[in-house]
Amino acid sequence: MAQPRQPGVPYPRLPLPETQEDLVAFQQWLGEAIPMVGALGIQSVTQSAAQEGVALTWQLALSPNLNDKGTGFGGALTAQTTLQGWCWVTLWLRAQGRAQDVVVAEASQRFIAPVTSDYRIICTPSEPQGPEQLAEKLHTRGKGSIALTQQLYCGDTLCLEASGRYAVLAGA
């Protein structure tokens, strides 16, 4: 069993992938690096090409995220969308062979409908040119940021739309 995390002590980075990212290994590392991940109900993590660029999709269970009304707890949903954006940027950097720190710079959510069953969240760049612009900033300045959008669906119903800007810090 892993040692409990200690405040102020960074968790060791996952080695960069030699070829394609192992999303199961990444999810396991994420749960060790960020202890609350184990309580979020993430059932699966997938990446796919989408019209807006690479999409990161999470399938989640509602039961660990219930509120007093028996629907999705807004705080848990907010944590999930924010974390998913961080993961999108981290995985994108890893695919570029870059090991840099990512932080959330700003985030907002719009709750549209109650979350009443297991659900999925899809994260994509807010602008199609976002990844290319980030790559250029990293090349010229060593740091940059990207805007991402997360959409939470119960079946075909859009229940929540979130957006965030994630900053990639300059390497040490």
Side-chain angles (χ1 to χ4, degrees):
M1 183 197 267
Q3 293 292 327
R5 292 293 318 279
Q6 298 298 315
V9 178
Y11 195 77
R13 290 185 193 273
L14 188 63
L16 290 172
E18 293 182 19
T19 56
Q20 186 172 344
E21 187 76 56
D22 179 347
L23 292 176
V24 173
F26 180 80
Q27 187 177 350
Q28 180 180 349
W29 171 84
L30 186 65
E32 295 166 1
I34 304 173
M36 73 174 278
V37 168
L40 293 179
I42 302 169
Q43 297 174 325
S44 69
V45 175
T46 58
Q47 280 184 309
S48 60
Q51 196 169 4
E52 305 81 16
V54 174
L56 180 62
T57 302
W58 288 2
Q59 297 290 333
L60 297 109
L62 176 59
S63 57
N65 300 294
L66 288 171
N67 64 16
D68 59 316
K69 296 158 203 63
T71 60
F73 173 58
L77 305 176
T78 296
Q80 291 164 356
T81 58
T82 302
L83 178 63
Q84 189 189 39
W86 181 91
C87 288
W88 189 100
V89 179
T90 298
L91 289 166
W92 182 86
L93 287 167
R94 291 171 56 74
Q96 314 304 308
R98 300 182 79 105
Q100 287 179 257
D101 287 329
V102 177
V103 296
V104 61
E106 61 183 81
S108 64
Q109 300 77 32
R110 183 171 62 98
F111 296 88
I112 301 164
V115 176
T116 57
S117 64
D118 291 354
Y119 53 98
R120 71 186 181 286
I121 306 174
I122 304 166
C123 179
T124 56
S126 299
E127 301 170 5
Q129 68 276 19
E132 291 80 19
Q133 290 173 345
L134 176 57
E136 178 60 27
K137 287 178 187 173
L138 292 173
H139 177 72
T140 59
R141 298 179 39 212
K143 63 182 181 176
S145 67
I146 187 169
L148 300 173
T149 299
Q150 299 88 15
Q151 294 180 310
L152 185 155
Y153 290 91
C154 287
D156 293 332
T157 303
L158 178 62
C159 298
L160 179 152
E161 189 163 59
S163 61
R165 177 158 297 279
Y166 297 81
V168 178
L169 305 179

